[in-house]
Amino acid sequence: MSVTREELSTRLGSEAVAWLDAALADARAAAPPARAAEPPDAQAPEPPAGNAVPPARDATSRRGVPAWELRFAAAGRVCAGPEAAEAARVLLLRTARPGAAAVARLYDHGSGAERRAVLLALPHLPLTPDQGVALVEDALRANDTRLVAAAVGPYAAAHLPAHAWRHAVLKCLFTQVPLAAVAGLADRARGDGELARMLTDFAAERTAAARPVPDDLHHALALALALAAKEV
């Protein structure tokens, strides 16, 4: 669940709050016009009265990079701790609503923490499913478990094709990412005989190699088998 500006500000000192408000002002200045059907919480609210931040004087830096993107990169240095920095980055992305080229640039050139923020923000960005899934699939090829955990969130649950989603579940088991991170696990596992087969094979391989079978595997397999049997 995304953190609001008000919630995030309670974790920050006064200087970081001022930085956040200026960063969000930059992001609002760069954002495309809001769509009529856009949910009301899609953008960060204006700063509360008394803390108003003037619009950014120049939404683009001297290097030609949008000012909010520089703020996105700087969040780790300004915010108190990685969780607050991540929340700030996701809030900036939701406010700026960048297009596919900017999202790909932030992901491709970002640190692990910056890539994770992009993945977490995917459900709120104006991308086609193909554009978003490409980033999810790239993250699932990584060995960074924090990226893998972010990749199997709500966006993957909604858009990742069945074959790729099954392999994402196995990737979590292989890398010891808790299956609690897999959004929509029960719904997508329902009646999935192929997933049950893959999980059974994986468990057999682990047992043959004298390696422990993750408890999460038994949970996922029970879901797939029980629900599949129920529909027979």
Short mmCIF file of all heavy atoms in Angstrom, two decimals, residues 74-101:
data_model
loop_
_atom_site.label_atom_id
_atom_site.label_comp_id
_atom_site.label_asym_id
_atom_site.label_seq_id
_atom_site.Cartn_x
_atom_site.Cartn_y
_atom_site.Cartn_z
N ALA A 74 18.05 11.48 -5.54
CA ALA A 74 18.62 12.02 -4.30
C ALA A 74 17.88 11.57 -3.05
O ALA A 74 18.35 11.83 -1.93
CB ALA A 74 18.62 13.55 -4.36
N ALA A 75 16.74 10.91 -3.20
CA ALA A 75 15.92 10.57 -2.04
C ALA A 75 16.67 9.78 -0.98
O ALA A 75 16.47 9.97 0.22
CB ALA A 75 14.67 9.81 -2.48
N GLY A 76 17.56 8.90 -1.41
CA GLY A 76 18.30 8.08 -0.45
C GLY A 76 19.23 8.90 0.43
O GLY A 76 19.55 8.48 1.55
N ARG A 77 19.67 10.05 -0.07
CA ARG A 77 20.57 10.90 0.70
C ARG A 77 19.81 11.84 1.63
O ARG A 77 20.38 12.33 2.61
CB ARG A 77 21.47 11.73 -0.23
CG ARG A 77 22.38 10.89 -1.12
CD ARG A 77 23.41 11.76 -1.82
NE ARG A 77 22.81 12.76 -2.69
CZ ARG A 77 22.49 12.54 -3.96
NH1 ARG A 77 22.69 11.34 -4.49
NH2 ARG A 77 21.97 13.50 -4.70
N VAL A 78 18.55 12.10 1.32
CA VAL A 78 17.79 13.10 2.06
C VAL A 78 16.87 12.47 3.10
O VAL A 78 16.75 12.98 4.23
CB VAL A 78 16.96 13.97 1.09
CG1 VAL A 78 16.10 14.97 1.86
CG2 VAL A 78 17.87 14.68 0.10
N CYS A 79 16.24 11.38 2.74
CA CYS A 79 15.24 10.77 3.62
C CYS A 79 15.90 9.87 4.66
O CYS A 79 16.96 9.29 4.41
CB CYS A 79 14.22 9.98 2.80
SG CYS A 79 13.29 11.01 1.65
N ALA A 80 15.25 9.75 5.78
CA ALA A 80 15.82 9.00 6.91
C ALA A 80 15.54 7.51 6.75
O ALA A 80 14.50 7.02 7.16
CB ALA A 80 15.23 9.51 8.22
N GLY A 81 16.47 6.80 6.12
CA GLY A 81 16.35 5.36 6.00
C GLY A 81 15.81 4.91 4.67
O GLY A 81 15.14 5.68 3.95
N PRO A 82 16.07 3.66 4.30
CA PRO A 82 15.66 3.15 2.98
C PRO A 82 14.16 3.08 2.78
O PRO A 82 13.68 3.29 1.67
CB PRO A 82 16.31 1.76 2.93
CG PRO A 82 16.59 1.39 4.35
CD PRO A 82 16.87 2.67 5.05
N GLU A 83 13.40 2.79 3.83
CA GLU A 83 11.95 2.70 3.67
C GLU A 83 11.34 4.06 3.36
O GLU A 83 10.45 4.18 2.51
CB GLU A 83 11.32 2.11 4.92
CG GLU A 83 11.65 0.63 5.13
CD GLU A 83 10.92 0.05 6.32
OE1 GLU A 83 10.15 0.78 6.96
OE2 GLU A 83 11.13 -1.14 6.60
N ALA A 84 11.81 5.10 4.03
CA ALA A 84 11.30 6.44 3.76
C ALA A 84 11.72 6.90 2.36
O ALA A 84 10.93 7.53 1.65
CB ALA A 84 11.81 7.42 4.81
N ALA A 85 12.95 6.57 1.96
CA ALA A 85 13.40 6.94 0.62
C ALA A 85 12.57 6.24 -0.44
O ALA A 85 12.20 6.84 -1.46
CB ALA A 85 14.89 6.59 0.46
N GLU A 86 12.26 4.98 -0.21
CA GLU A 86 11.42 4.23 -1.16
C GLU A 86 10.04 4.84 -1.26
O GLU A 86 9.49 5.02 -2.37
CB GLU A 86 11.33 2.78 -0.71
CG GLU A 86 10.49 1.90 -1.62
CD GLU A 86 10.55 0.45 -1.18
OE1 GLU A 86 11.56 -0.22 -1.49
OE2 GLU A 86 9.60 -0.01 -0.52
N ALA A 87 9.45 5.18 -0.12
CA ALA A 87 8.12 5.79 -0.13
C ALA A 87 8.14 7.12 -0.87
O ALA A 87 7.21 7.44 -1.62
CB ALA A 87 7.63 5.99 1.30
N ALA A 88 9.20 7.91 -0.68
CA ALA A 88 9.30 9.20 -1.38
C ALA A 88 9.41 8.98 -2.88
O ALA A 88 8.77 9.70 -3.67
CB ALA A 88 10.52 9.97 -0.87
N ARG A 89 10.19 8.01 -3.29
CA ARG A 89 10.34 7.74 -4.73
C ARG A 89 9.03 7.29 -5.37
O ARG A 89 8.68 7.73 -6.47
CB ARG A 89 11.45 6.70 -4.94
CG ARG A 89 12.85 7.23 -4.68
CD ARG A 89 13.90 6.17 -4.92
NE ARG A 89 15.24 6.74 -4.82
CZ ARG A 89 16.19 6.30 -4.00
NH1 ARG A 89 15.95 5.25 -3.20
NH2 ARG A 89 17.38 6.87 -3.97
N VAL A 90 8.31 6.40 -4.68
CA VAL A 90 7.03 5.95 -5.21
C VAL A 90 6.06 7.12 -5.30
O VAL A 90 5.33 7.26 -6.29
CB VAL A 90 6.46 4.81 -4.34
CG1 VAL A 90 5.03 4.48 -4.77
CG2 VAL A 90 7.34 3.57 -4.43
N LEU A 91 6.06 7.98 -4.31
CA LEU A 91 5.18 9.14 -4.32
C LEU A 91 5.53 10.09 -5.47
O LEU A 91 4.64 10.64 -6.13
CB LEU A 91 5.29 9.87 -2.97
CG LEU A 91 4.22 10.90 -2.61
CD1 LEU A 91 2.83 10.30 -2.71
CD2 LEU A 91 4.47 11.41 -1.20
N LEU A 92 6.82 10.28 -5.72
CA LEU A 92 7.24 11.11 -6.86
C LEU A 92 6.77 10.52 -8.18
O LEU A 92 6.27 11.23 -9.07
CB LEU A 92 8.76 11.26 -6.87
CG LEU A 92 9.35 12.24 -5.85
CD1 LEU A 92 10.87 12.13 -5.85
CD2 LEU A 92 8.93 13.66 -6.18
N LEU A 93 6.90 9.20 -8.33
CA LEU A 93 6.46 8.55 -9.57
C LEU A 93 4.95 8.68 -9.76
O LEU A 93 4.47 8.97 -10.86
CB LEU A 93 6.87 7.08 -9.55
CG LEU A 93 8.35 6.79 -9.78
CD1 LEU A 93 8.69 5.37 -9.35
CD2 LEU A 93 8.72 7.00 -11.24
N ARG A 94 4.21 8.47 -8.69
CA ARG A 94 2.76 8.58 -8.79
C ARG A 94 2.32 10.00 -9.12
O ARG A 94 1.29 10.21 -9.77
CB ARG A 94 2.11 8.13 -7.48
CG ARG A 94 2.29 6.66 -7.16
CD ARG A 94 1.46 6.24 -5.98
NE ARG A 94 0.05 6.35 -6.26
CZ ARG A 94 -0.91 6.04 -5.39
NH1 ARG A 94 -0.58 5.63 -4.17
NH2 ARG A 94 -2.18 6.14 -5.72
N THR A 95 3.09 10.98 -8.66
CA THR A 95 2.74 12.38 -8.91
C THR A 95 3.15 12.81 -10.31
O THR A 95 2.38 13.47 -11.02
CB THR A 95 3.42 13.28 -7.87
OG1 THR A 95 3.03 12.88 -6.56
CG2 THR A 95 3.05 14.74 -8.09
N ALA A 96 4.35 12.43 -10.75
CA ALA A 96 4.84 12.84 -12.08
C ALA A 96 4.19 12.06 -13.20
O ALA A 96 4.09 12.55 -14.32
CB ALA A 96 6.36 12.66 -12.14
N ARG A 97 3.76 10.82 -12.94
CA ARG A 97 3.14 9.95 -13.94
C ARG A 97 3.93 9.95 -15.25
O ARG A 97 3.40 10.27 -16.32
CB ARG A 97 1.68 10.35 -14.19
CG ARG A 97 0.84 10.37 -12.93
CD ARG A 97 -0.65 10.48 -13.20
NE ARG A 97 -1.01 11.52 -14.15
CZ ARG A 97 -1.07 12.82 -13.87
NH1 ARG A 97 -0.77 13.25 -12.67
NH2 ARG A 97 -1.43 13.68 -14.79
N PRO A 98 5.23 9.58 -15.19
CA PRO A 98 6.05 9.62 -16.39
C PRO A 98 5.64 8.57 -17.41
O PRO A 98 5.04 7.54 -17.06
CB PRO A 98 7.46 9.32 -15.85
CG PRO A 98 7.21 8.49 -14.63
CD PRO A 98 5.95 9.06 -14.02
N GLY A 99 5.97 8.83 -18.65
CA GLY A 99 5.69 7.88 -19.72
C GLY A 99 6.70 6.76 -19.77
O GLY A 99 7.64 6.69 -18.97
N ALA A 100 6.53 5.90 -20.76
CA ALA A 100 7.33 4.68 -20.84
C ALA A 100 8.82 4.97 -20.96
O ALA A 100 9.64 4.28 -20.34
CB ALA A 100 6.86 3.85 -22.04
N ALA A 101 9.20 5.97 -21.75
CA ALA A 101 10.63 6.25 -21.95
C ALA A 101 11.29 6.69 -20.65
O ALA A 101 12.39 6.23 -20.31
CB ALA A 101 10.82 7.32 -23.02
#
